[in-house]
Amino acid sequence: DTAVSQTPKYLVTQMGNDKSIKCEQNLGHDTMYWYKQDSKKFLKIMFSYNNKELIINETVPNRFSPKSPDKAHLNLHINSLELGDSAVYFCASSQELAGVGGELFFGEGSRLTVL
Amino acid sequence: AQSVTQLDSQVPVFEEAPVELRCNYSSSVSVYLFWYVQYPNQGLQLLLKYLSGSTLVKGINGFEAEFNKSQTSFHLRKPSVHISDTAEYFCAVSDRGFQKLVFGTGTRLLVSP
C-alpha cells in the first residue's frame, strides 16, 4: 500500500501545453511538499502546505499553481510549459515540519519532459 | 540562510570496503541534519537524522553519521558496503524553527564487485 503516490509517473508534452500532477498520501500527515529535481539531481523545494494552508512558496514562476483540496492531496498544475520545466517532480509529506526535525516521506516522482 | 555542500559528486568503492560521504553545512543558528538515500527511479528515503544529543547517529542499513559542530560537518560512513548500497545520497539541513529542508547536490555512491 503506497504511502505517497503520484500520478502520472511519466509525462511527455509539447511546449505551451498545460499539465497537472496529482499527489496523495495515506499517512495521515499534516504537511505536504512539492520538490523539483533537475537533470543534475539537485532538489529544490517549490511549495509546502500545512493542513491545506500554503506555508512555503519559493521563487517559482506563477505558471506553477499548487492546490490542496484536503490535507491528503496536493496537486501541481503547470501552465504554458517551457523546456526548462523538464525535471522530476517529487511530492512528499511529513507529520512534523522540517523545522522541528520532521522526516519527509517521498513519492516515486513524476518525470516531466517538455519537447 | 542555510546551505549544504557535498564536495564529492561521485564516490566509487569496491564491495566490502569502508566508505565516507562528506557533508558540510552553513547556518547561523542551530540545525537539524539529515541523510536521505535515493535508489534508481525511486523517491528519497530517510537514512538517519541528527536532532540533538549524541553526536554519533546510527541509521538504517548499517550507516552512521557524526555531527561535528566546530567543523560544521555531518559525514556519513559505513564500515563495509554492499552492491545494493549503490544509490544517490543527499545531505540536508533545516534551521530549528524554520520550515524548509535544504538539500545538498548529492553524492553518487558506486559499489562494484
Side-chain angles (χ1 to χ4, degrees), chain B residues 3-7 20-27 31-35 48 50 55-57 65-77 91-93:
Chain B
S3 67
V4 179
T5 301
Q6 292 182 248
L7 287 171
E20 178 179 85
L21 306 183
R22 297 181 292 167
C23 172
N24 288 88
Y25 68 91
S26 67
S27 174
V31 296
Y32 295 130
L33 292 156
F34 305 78
W35 276 98
L48 48 80
Y50 171 77
T55 56
L56 183 63
V57 181
E66 184 148 25
F67 170 58
N68 187 319
K69 189 174 180 179
S70 62
Q71 296 188 3
T72 59
S73 68
F74 190 54
H75 300 332
L76 181 71
R77 301 187 189 101
C91 184
V93 65

Side-chain angles (χ1 to χ4, degrees), chain A residues 100-115:
Chain A
V100 294
E103 174 183 353
L104 268 61
F105 291 80
F106 283 81
E108 293 190 339
S110 297
R111 183 177 292 276
L112 171 65
T113 303
V114 182
L115 303 175

Side-chain angles (χ1 to χ4, degrees), chain B residues 34-98:
Chain B
F34 305 78
W35 276 98
Y36 281 82
V37 60
Q38 184 180 25
Y39 297 104
N41 299 315
Q42 293 186 27
L44 284 73
Q45 63 183 85
L46 183 69
L47 267 181
L48 48 80
K49 63 181 177 181
Y50 171 77
L51 303 183
S52 65
S54 172
T55 56
L56 183 63
V57 181
K58 292 192 184 299
I60 61 171
N61 300 340
F63 283 93
E64 62 181 33
E66 184 148 25
F67 170 58
N68 187 319
K69 189 174 180 179
S70 62
Q71 296 188 3
T72 59
S73 68
F74 190 54
H75 300 332
L76 181 71
R77 301 187 189 101
K78 186 168 181 178
S80 175
V81 294
H82 300 135
I83 298 280
S84 60
D85 292 323
T86 294
E88 195 86 23
Y89 291 79
F90 292 91
C91 184
V93 65
S94 171
D95 283 349
R96 293 188 184 191
F98 201 55

Side-chain angles (χ1 to χ4, degrees), chain A residues 17 22 26 37 54 60 64 68 79 84 91 93 99 102 106 111:
Chain A
N17 284 350
K22 296 186 175 184
N26 63 7
Q37 186 176 49
L54 183 66
V60 175
F64 290 78
S68 182
N79 288 326
C91 177
S93 72
F106 283 81
R111 183 177 292 276

Side-chain angles (χ1 to χ4, degrees), chain A residues 26-41:
Chain A
N26 63 7
L27 298 167
H29 289 165
D30 288 336
T31 307
M32 295 185 72
Y33 312 79
W34 278 111
Y35 277 84
K36 179 181 180 181
Q37 186 176 49
D38 64 23
S39 58
K40 295 183 179 177
K41 300 278 187 176

